[in-house]
Amino acid sequence: MHTPFLLVEVRRRRDAVLARRRARQVAGLLGFEPNEQACVAALVFELACQALTQAGRTSLRFTVERDRLLVAPAGEVPALRVEKPLPPREPAVGQEDLAFVVRELEKLAPASLFEEVQRQNQELLRALLELQACRAQLAEAAARQAGSTAA
């Protein structure tokens, strides 16, 4: 396994929310689309919660390996981990890019639980609106198809 470019201490539930925020920020800096950033954040939050339940406290290791973002509890069996292919880009993410990610993370404001919950609500609302739009498009397409087969 490669050297982690970020370690996030998780000692209590509040830290799981902060790990979620860091995961979203990392995903954004690595070029993931907003919906994928939300997915990575939610998965890392769940990973942090499970790690807390199993180990009581841990550190989450963020690494990039074979063009994949990996997040796993330090010292844990690889059964608990988040693994997500990096978005396609040329050239691939290199060590200098990871150094940039770490520098940018250090510039970002300290994590606020309120802001993170607010961001999570915005992501959920955006996903629900997208789902609603897709359902409307499907209903419209089904109505058109039913109209053309009835004629």
Side-chain angles (χ1 to χ4, degrees):
M1 181 169 268
H2 289 88
T3 303
F5 63 88
L6 179 65
L7 285 172
V8 177
E9 294 291 323
V10 181
R11 294 188 174 125
R12 52 190 195 270
R13 287 187 271 181
R14 170 189 167 95
D15 296 332
V17 176
L18 301 178
R20 180 193 189 286
R21 182 171 190 181
R22 280 296 189 211
R24 183 177 39 75
Q25 292 168 335
V26 164
L29 290 168
L30 290 174
F32 285 93
E33 295 293 324
N35 62 335
E36 291 298 312
Q37 293 172 30
C39 183
V40 168
L43 288 167
V44 169
F45 176 79
E46 186 59 31
L47 175 69
C49 291
Q50 288 183 23
L52 274 173
T53 300
Q54 292 180 10
R57 63 189 284 178
T58 191
S59 295
L60 296 182
R61 299 167 42 107
F62 287 71
T63 61
V64 170
E65 221 177 292
R66 294 182 307 257
D67 294 330
R68 301 175 94 64
L69 171 63
L70 299 173
V71 183
E76 290 291 321
V77 185
L80 281 181
R81 70 183 199 178
V82 171
E83 186 172 336
K84 190 88 171 148
L86 294 175
R89 61 187 259 186
E90 289 295 326
V93 174
Q95 286 300 103
E96 64 281 354
D97 295 321
L98 296 179
F100 166 79
V101 168
V102 171
R103 284 191 309 273
E104 290 301 306
L105 282 172
E106 290 172 358
K107 292 179 190 175
L108 296 173
S112 155
L113 291 178
F114 177 81
E115 289 172 3
E116 188 55 30
V117 171
Q118 184 179 31
R119 178 70 177 236
Q120 186 176 6
N121 285 344
Q122 291 169 352
E123 291 166 353
L124 179 59
L125 288 172
R126 188 172 25 259
L128 289 172
L129 288 172
E130 288 175 12
L131 177 61
Q132 197 174 39
C134 287
R135 284 183 174 166
Q137 288 175 346
L138 284 173
E140 186 178 302
R144 277 195 310 263
Q145 186 175 7
S148 67
T149 57

